[in-house]
Amino acid sequence: MDNLNSAVELLVSSSNTLFILLGAIMVLFMHAGFAFLEVGTVRHKNQVNALVKIITDFGVSTLAYFFVGYSIAYGADFFADASELTQNNGYELVKFFFLLTFAAAIPAIVSGGIAERARFYPFLIASALLVALVYPFFEGMIWNGNYGFQDWLAAAFGAGFHDFAGSMVVHGMGGWLALTAILLLGARQGRYRDGRPKAFAPSSIPFLALGAWILTVGWFGFNVMSAQTLDGVSGLVAVNSLMAMVGGTLVAMLLGKTDPGFIHNGPLAGLVAVCAGSDLFHPLGALAVGGVAGALFVYTFTLFQNKVPRIDDVLGVWPLHGLCGAWGAIAVGIFGTQALGGLGGVSMMAQLVGTLVGIAVALVGGGLIYGGVQLVSGLRLSEEQEFDGADLAIHKIAATSEDR
């Protein structure tokens, strides 16, 4: 009997480790999606920079999260002997890998907002600080119960802040952090003339579409594997993610008048919004949440690009991740209720307060870090460098020989 119990425990442990490892690999591949979405959206003279930023940001994020951020969020580190780290088939190590891929999404999101005019090393330093300090501070509050925040919400409103896969913890945080950097940088040269916007056409719709598809497929690992163990897997999460993706796509198609940029960002808007309540919503509720997110993205992106020159958000990361992430967190208090087909156990007030606190942490943290880097070294390329493009100015090479 003891041998049987040991065998069962080993099978469960190894299965859980493999499960979360597959999730980590799927979310890691999403970073290729971030890269190609940006490559396809920016002008040719900034394509190399887009690719380089995403992979180097991941590198510095890994070190920042390993040495500092994970400890802030979860009070754990990996400085024990390797023999101790391999317990339970190394599950805790792979859990770190999985959560790292979430943390590294923060600078990947910011990258799209500040594209075409940001200095390389200052933003790399800022990315490390965000992943080491700001993101894990809020992550720990929500997903580890740090500082008694969730207990306070539960006592005050009857439920804690529910964010199953990171509508606010990851995407909202990334989008609102990006806004602080975008405001500090200002608009790209030539983007507005006499207060009127000049369109900068995407360099490659196929690359943009490829990035959107990679992100969309990887998102099912992002959401479903957020259960972190096999016994927590739910087909509801998968189908809700699917329905929100479809809702975002079709609404963006209709409101965006078949514009390929809106159509390929539509599913991403829906998926951002559904993360928080994907384990609670009825599929019809998820469809509605995704559809509202698609509309929110098209409307706000168009509004701010055309009417607010100060917010030159190249990929629309603030509307897509910041606003749709906030909407998704708040939507839990609506469509997560049993009255609208959800599983219940949620509080609208808790969702509102948690969302507002997340926005405040992002704005204050982003202001301090990007503002500090701005004071020390500056954030923006010179006019000449920006005119030449980040590829030649920073990396001394163009994306293709025809660009030289």
Side-chain angles (χ1 to χ4, degrees):
M1 182 62 74
D2 288 342
N3 289 339
L4 178 60
N5 289 337
S6 296
V8 170
E9 289 176 3
L10 179 62
L11 179 61
V12 170
S13 175
S14 58
S15 298
N16 285 336
T17 300
L18 178 61
F19 173 73
I20 199 170
L21 174 61
L22 293 174
I25 293 169
M26 289 183 72
V27 184
L28 173 63
F29 191 53
M30 288 177 71
H31 288 261
F34 284 119
F36 279 99
L37 190 69
E38 185 172 338
V39 167
T41 305
V42 299
R43 289 170 289 178
H44 281 103
K45 61 183 181 179
N46 297 294
Q47 288 185 321
V48 172
N49 183 243
L51 293 169
V52 171
K53 280 189 300 178
I54 299 300
I55 196 165
T56 52
D57 269 335
F58 191 89
V60 300
S61 295
T62 300
L63 296 183
Y65 199 61
F66 183 88
F67 286 105
V68 181
Y70 194 78
S71 296
I72 290 176
Y74 301 103
D77 60 56
F78 302 103
F79 303 120
D81 292 339
S83 59
E84 187 175 331
L85 297 177
T86 56
Q87 291 180 3
N88 296 319
N89 300 93
Y91 176 82
E92 291 300 322
L93 285 172
V94 179
K95 179 183 175 182
F96 156 78
F97 180 15
F98 180 66
L99 292 171
L100 160 68
T101 59
F102 283 49
I106 299 298
I109 291 168
V110 175
S111 175
I114 53 88
E116 301 200 334
R117 75 266 201 208
R119 296 182 64 201
F120 183 66
Y121 285 112
F123 268 90
L124 211 57
I125 292 168
S127 296
L129 293 172
L130 292 177
V131 175
L133 303 173
V134 179
Y135 169 74
F137 173 77
F138 187 63
E139 177 191 19
M141 287 175 63
I142 305 305
W143 286 343
N144 198 48
N146 294 355
Y147 316 114
F149 180 66
Q150 290 282 37
D151 291 338
W152 173 75
L153 288 175
F157 306 116
F161 178 69
H162 187 90
D163 190 352
F164 178 69
S167 285
M168 191 63 220
V169 173
V170 181
H171 299 285
M173 183 65 52
W176 288 92
L177 284 167
L179 179 62
T180 64
I182 290 164
L183 290 172
L184 282 169
L185 278 171
R188 290 165 288 175
Q189 290 181 35
R191 181 68 179 88
Y192 296 92
R193 295 178 181 175
D194 300 321
R196 301 181 65 182
K198 176 185 177 183
F200 289 160
S203 59
S204 173
I205 295 298
F207 276 155
L208 186 158
L210 175 63
W213 269 109
I214 292 172
L215 285 166
T216 297
V217 174
W219 224 296
F220 287 85
F222 196 100
N223 284 358
V224 174
M225 269 77 164
S226 284
Q228 298 189 18
T229 55
L230 273 172
D231 61 351
V233 173
S234 171
L236 183 65
V237 176
V239 173
N240 280 342
S241 300
L242 174 69
M243 296 300 279
M245 165 204 155
V246 169
T249 303
L250 297 181
V251 171
M253 175 194 71
L254 293 172
L255 297 183
K257 301 176 181 177
T258 70
D259 181 284
F262 285 134
I263 289 174
H264 286 94
N265 276 283
L268 309 184
L271 286 163
V272 165
V274 82
C275 287
S278 56
D279 62 327
L280 297 179
F281 296 149
H282 186 279
L284 293 179
L287 180 66
V289 169
V292 171
L296 182 63
F297 173 72
V298 173
Y299 176 76
T300 54
F301 180 81
T302 303
L303 175 66
F304 285 99
Q305 287 291 303
N306 293 334
K307 302 295 185 182
V308 187
R310 186 69 184 174
I311 302 180
D312 184 13
D313 183 349
V314 181
L315 268 68
V317 299
W318 177 53
L320 181 66
H321 296 275
L323 295 180
C324 290
W327 154 243
I330 293 169
V332 170
I334 304 170
F335 293 96
T337 61
Q338 291 182 334
L340 290 179
L343 295 181
V346 296
S347 161
M348 172 57 82
M349 282 304 300
Q351 295 306 120
L352 282 171
V353 172
T355 300
L356 291 174
V357 169
I359 291 171
V361 170
L363 292 178
V364 172
L368 289 173
I369 287 177
Y370 287 121
V373 173
Q374 169 84 307
L375 288 173
V376 172
S377 63
L379 296 172
R380 185 160 180 160
L381 295 172
S382 69
E383 289 187 12
E384 182 180 356
Q385 289 174 321
E386 190 176 339
F387 178 81
D388 291 340
D391 292 358
L392 294 179
I394 297 173
H395 309 291
K396 314 304 180 187
I397 192 169
T400 61
S401 59
E402 290 79 8
D403 293 337
R404 283 181 273 180

